Short mmCIF file of all heavy atoms in Angstrom, two decimals:
data_model
loop_
_atom_site.label_atom_id
_atom_site.label_comp_id
_atom_site.label_asym_id
_atom_site.label_seq_id
_atom_site.Cartn_x
_atom_site.Cartn_y
_atom_site.Cartn_z
N GLY A 268 6.19 5.80 4.25
CA GLY A 268 6.64 5.72 5.63
C GLY A 268 5.56 5.37 6.63
O GLY A 268 5.73 5.58 7.82
N VAL A 272 -0.78 -3.40 9.47
CA VAL A 272 -0.81 -4.69 10.15
C VAL A 272 -2.03 -5.48 9.68
O VAL A 272 -3.05 -4.91 9.32
CB VAL A 272 -0.84 -4.53 11.70
CG1 VAL A 272 0.38 -3.77 12.18
CG2 VAL A 272 -2.12 -3.86 12.17
N ASP A 297 3.25 15.05 7.47
CA ASP A 297 3.00 13.84 8.26
C ASP A 297 1.56 13.84 8.76
O ASP A 297 0.93 14.89 8.85
CB ASP A 297 3.94 13.79 9.48
CG ASP A 297 5.34 13.32 9.10
OD1 ASP A 297 5.63 13.22 7.88
OD2 ASP A 297 6.15 13.06 9.99
N ASP A 309 -19.23 -7.33 1.68
CA ASP A 309 -20.48 -7.93 1.18
C ASP A 309 -20.70 -7.66 -0.29
O ASP A 309 -21.26 -8.48 -1.02
CB ASP A 309 -21.67 -7.41 1.99
CG ASP A 309 -21.60 -7.84 3.45
OD1 ASP A 309 -20.99 -8.89 3.70
OD2 ASP A 309 -22.14 -7.13 4.30
N GLY A 312 -17.95 -7.93 -7.17
CA GLY A 312 -17.95 -7.78 -8.61
C GLY A 312 -17.70 -9.13 -9.25
O GLY A 312 -17.66 -10.16 -8.57
N TRP A 325 -12.34 0.91 2.11
CA TRP A 325 -11.61 1.76 3.05
C TRP A 325 -12.57 2.47 4.00
O TRP A 325 -13.62 2.94 3.59
CB TRP A 325 -10.83 2.84 2.30
CG TRP A 325 -9.53 2.44 1.68
CD1 TRP A 325 -9.23 2.41 0.35
CD2 TRP A 325 -8.33 2.06 2.37
NE1 TRP A 325 -7.93 2.02 0.15
CE2 TRP A 325 -7.35 1.82 1.38
CE3 TRP A 325 -7.99 1.90 3.71
CZ2 TRP A 325 -6.05 1.42 1.69
CZ3 TRP A 325 -6.70 1.51 4.03
CH2 TRP A 325 -5.74 1.27 3.04
N THR A 326 -12.19 2.56 5.27
CA THR A 326 -12.93 3.35 6.26
C THR A 326 -11.91 4.03 7.16
O THR A 326 -10.98 3.38 7.64
CB THR A 326 -13.86 2.47 7.12
OG1 THR A 326 -14.78 1.78 6.28
CG2 THR A 326 -14.63 3.33 8.12
N ASP A 348 -15.74 14.79 16.90
CA ASP A 348 -15.01 14.02 17.91
C ASP A 348 -14.72 12.61 17.44
O ASP A 348 -13.66 12.06 17.71
CB ASP A 348 -15.80 13.98 19.22
CG ASP A 348 -15.70 15.30 19.97
OD1 ASP A 348 -14.91 16.17 19.54
OD2 ASP A 348 -16.40 15.44 20.96
N PRO A 361 0.31 16.41 20.29
CA PRO A 361 1.26 16.51 19.18
C PRO A 361 2.48 15.62 19.38
O PRO A 361 3.01 15.06 18.42
CB PRO A 361 1.63 18.00 19.18
CG PRO A 361 0.45 18.69 19.75
CD PRO A 361 -0.08 17.74 20.81
N ASN A 366 4.57 9.28 16.80
CA ASN A 366 4.71 7.84 16.60
C ASN A 366 3.99 7.34 15.35
O ASN A 366 4.20 6.20 14.94
CB ASN A 366 4.20 7.07 17.81
CG ASN A 366 5.21 6.92 18.92
OD1 ASN A 366 4.97 7.31 20.06
ND2 ASN A 366 6.38 6.38 18.60
N ALA A 381 -1.31 -3.71 18.65
CA ALA A 381 -0.16 -3.32 17.85
C ALA A 381 0.61 -2.25 18.60
O ALA A 381 0.07 -1.57 19.48
CB ALA A 381 -0.61 -2.79 16.48
N GLU A 404 -8.79 1.85 19.76
CA GLU A 404 -8.35 2.94 20.61
C GLU A 404 -6.85 2.88 20.82
O GLU A 404 -6.27 1.80 20.88
CB GLU A 404 -9.03 2.87 21.98
CG GLU A 404 -10.51 3.16 21.97
CD GLU A 404 -11.10 3.13 23.37
OE1 GLU A 404 -10.69 2.26 24.17
OE2 GLU A 404 -11.96 3.96 23.67
N PHE A 405 -6.24 4.06 20.92
CA PHE A 405 -4.83 4.13 21.28
C PHE A 405 -4.66 3.86 22.77
O PHE A 405 -5.56 4.16 23.57
CB PHE A 405 -4.25 5.51 20.95
CG PHE A 405 -4.10 5.76 19.47
CD1 PHE A 405 -5.04 6.50 18.79
CD2 PHE A 405 -3.01 5.25 18.79
CE1 PHE A 405 -4.91 6.74 17.43
CE2 PHE A 405 -2.87 5.48 17.43
CZ PHE A 405 -3.82 6.22 16.74
N ALA A 423 12.43 -2.90 12.70
CA ALA A 423 12.04 -3.57 13.94
C ALA A 423 11.31 -4.86 13.60
O ALA A 423 10.64 -4.95 12.57
CB ALA A 423 11.17 -2.66 14.80
N ALA A 424 11.43 -5.83 14.49
CA ALA A 424 10.75 -7.12 14.29
C ALA A 424 10.35 -7.69 15.64
O ALA A 424 11.02 -7.46 16.65
CB ALA A 424 11.67 -8.10 13.56
N PHE A 437 17.89 6.75 11.40
CA PHE A 437 18.54 8.05 11.16
C PHE A 437 18.01 9.04 12.17
O PHE A 437 16.81 9.10 12.43
CB PHE A 437 18.21 8.53 9.74
CG PHE A 437 18.94 9.79 9.33
CD1 PHE A 437 20.21 9.72 8.78
CD2 PHE A 437 18.35 11.03 9.49
CE1 PHE A 437 20.88 10.88 8.38
CE2 PHE A 437 19.02 12.19 9.11
CZ PHE A 437 20.29 12.11 8.56
N ASP A 468 26.36 -3.94 29.20
CA ASP A 468 26.32 -3.88 30.66
C ASP A 468 26.07 -2.46 31.18
O ASP A 468 25.61 -2.29 32.32
CB ASP A 468 27.63 -4.41 31.26
CG ASP A 468 27.81 -5.90 30.99
OD1 ASP A 468 26.78 -6.60 30.89
OD2 ASP A 468 28.97 -6.34 30.86
N PRO A 470 24.21 0.41 29.51
CA PRO A 470 23.47 1.12 28.45
C PRO A 470 23.26 2.59 28.79
O PRO A 470 23.07 2.95 29.95
CB PRO A 470 22.14 0.37 28.40
CG PRO A 470 21.98 -0.21 29.77
CD PRO A 470 23.37 -0.55 30.23
N LEU A 507 9.30 45.60 1.43
CA LEU A 507 8.42 45.39 2.57
C LEU A 507 8.47 46.62 3.46
O LEU A 507 9.56 47.14 3.76
CB LEU A 507 8.85 44.17 3.37
CG LEU A 507 8.73 42.81 2.67
CD1 LEU A 507 9.41 41.74 3.49
CD2 LEU A 507 7.29 42.46 2.42
N GLU A 510 6.52 48.10 9.14
CA GLU A 510 5.55 47.45 10.02
C GLU A 510 5.41 45.97 9.68
O GLU A 510 5.35 45.11 10.56
CB GLU A 510 4.19 48.15 9.91
CG GLU A 510 3.14 47.58 10.85
CD GLU A 510 1.83 48.35 10.77
OE1 GLU A 510 1.79 49.44 10.19
OE2 GLU A 510 0.83 47.82 11.30
#
Side-chain angles (χ1 to χ4, degrees):
V272 301
D297 281 10
D309 295 333
W325 280 115
T326 302
D348 284 352
N366 276 124
E404 291 182 322
F405 289 100
F437 186 86
D468 294 330
L507 294 171
E510 183 177 347

